[in-house]
Amino acid sequence: MPELPEVEALRGFLAERLAGRAVERVLPVAVSVLKTYDPPLTALHGRTFGAARRHGKFLDLVWEGDGADLRLVVHLARAGWLRWQERLPTAPPRPGRGPLALRLALVEEAGGGDGFDLTEAGTRKGLSVYVVRDPQEVPGVARLGPDPLGADFTREAFAQLLRGERRQVKGLLRDQATVAGIGNAYSDEILHVARMSPFRLAADLNEEDADRLHGAVLGTLRDAVERSRGLAAGDLKSEKRTGMRVHGRTGLPCPVCGDTVLDVSFSDSSLQYCPTCQTGGRPLADRRMSRLLK
């Protein structure tokens, strides 16, 4: 799933590519991805790009015209992506079981005909697209917690979020209403940097633990954003994979201590960790059967 660093990189990529450009047409291919109907998609036609913003994992494209802005807000879900096309096909896309969910074509410039496709692997589309006047009209945006790259994400504010929480830190970090933008991959990376078990209870963290976790959140995400800066949209997925320390590296050596990276599987996902760095050398049993490690 694209998380904060990849969406931030997409925001920067599109801010550069869309500057001064106008929409020719927006074509929904998988109608199920469109979550709003007023204003309609056609209201974007002829509007000029104003800005690209990010809210957690949501991409927010601002289009100016008619005296008021409209926002095209996108959540890429688990398997969605944005594919920039230097030359879009001239034939309109056909609905079907392919990955294409939506196409946005720009008004042609010299040698133009460019734009982007929103795609998602699989026959069931979880990708979501909204056309709104205010991003707070999108339920997922309205419920977001503080952004880790925001000025208000201080140590004190983070410690307050942890206080009294009886959830495991892995789940807390992934809760978008608590902290915006972190998913399965970067929560694994953050906890490895913090040298903390994913099953640790947030309420059990002392001040030193909370400070260490806060620093790991900031450092991990800022490093990932910096690595992704300036990359084309098509290169971001491979950069994410190569930059991981433990996530997706089951059976490989930990880059810090050399121990073997292990995993815990769930019904629809898994987590990866280093026993030496994070759990005192003890492997975690299946989550449904193990005791929580302190």
Side-chain angles (χ1 to χ4, degrees):
M1 175 184 287
E3 300 178 34
L4 185 156
E6 295 78 54
V7 179
E8 177 63 21
L10 283 175
R11 184 206 61 76
F13 173 83
L14 289 173
E16 180 179 345
R17 293 297 186 99
L18 294 174
R21 304 296 301 278
V23 176
E24 179 183 332
R25 64 189 185 280
V26 187
L27 302 171
V29 180
V31 179
S32 62
V33 306
L34 186 60
K35 306 303 181 183
T36 56
Y37 62 90
D38 181 26
L41 272 177
T42 54
L44 296 174
H45 295 178
R47 288 177 174 264
T48 302
F49 175 74
R53 300 193 173 111
R54 179 188 56 78
H55 313 282
K57 301 178 191 177
F58 288 83
L59 184 64
D60 176 8
L61 303 180
V62 183
W63 301 92
E64 301 171 342
D66 297 334
D69 295 345
L70 288 183
R71 324 290 278 261
L72 182 68
V73 179
V74 177
H75 190 283
L76 294 168
R78 173 171 290 189
W81 197 243
L82 184 146
R83 180 185 176 194
W84 184 266
Q85 300 251 45
E86 295 294 346
R87 184 170 293 278
L88 290 166
T90 54
R94 294 182 178 180
R97 295 191 175 184
L100 183 59
L102 180 140
R103 172 168 291 163
L104 186 145
L106 299 168
V107 173
E108 288 194 25
E109 294 184 338
D114 52 352
F116 63 79
D117 290 339
L118 296 178
T119 64
E120 185 174 11
T123 56
R124 297 185 64 181
K125 297 289 186 279
L127 188 150
S128 300
V129 176
Y130 307 80
V131 179
V132 293
R133 297 173 181 86
D134 184 331
Q136 292 299 313
E137 297 174 36
V138 178
V141 173
R143 67 181 288 269
L144 288 175
D147 192 289
L149 301 186
D152 59 344
F153 193 75
T154 62
R155 290 189 178 190
E156 294 76 13
F158 185 62
Q160 183 62 36
L161 291 174
L162 299 176
R163 194 164 293 125
E165 275 284 358
R166 300 303 299 173
R167 289 181 289 173
Q168 298 166 358
V169 287
K170 168 77 175 180
L172 183 141
L173 290 174
R174 294 184 62 186
D175 180 3
Q176 299 305 293
T178 302
V179 182
I182 301 172
N184 193 37
Y186 285 104
S187 59
D188 283 351
E189 297 297 291
I190 288 165
L191 291 168
H192 181 257
V193 172
R195 304 179 71 87
M196 191 173 294
S197 167
F199 290 174
R200 185 105 178 253
L201 289 184
D204 291 344
L205 302 184
N206 59 32
E207 183 177 348
E208 181 182 346
D209 294 329
D211 285 350
R212 190 168 74 253
L213 184 58
H214 177 266
V217 170
L218 293 183
T220 300
L221 295 178
R222 286 173 176 171
D223 287 350
V225 168
E226 191 59 36
R227 290 196 310 268
S228 301
R229 195 181 305 280
L231 292 180
D235 297 329
L236 290 172
K237 286 186 179 181
S238 59
E239 194 290 323
K240 178 179 181 178
R241 286 192 295 268
T242 57
M244 291 291 157
R245 298 154 59 108
V246 291
H247 183 79
R249 291 175 51 85
T250 303
L252 297 176
C254 168
V256 174
C257 71
D259 196 2
T260 301
V261 173
L262 302 180
D263 69 359
V264 177
S265 295
F266 304 87
S267 59
D268 59 351
S269 65
S270 63
L271 65 83
Q272 285 79 48
Y273 69 100
C274 170
T276 294
C277 292
Q278 296 176 252
T279 61
R282 294 175 292 171
L284 296 175
D286 185 280
R287 179 179 179 274
R288 292 165 297 183
M289 299 173 62
S290 66
R291 302 281 297 178
L292 301 179
L293 294 184
K294 304 292 185 182

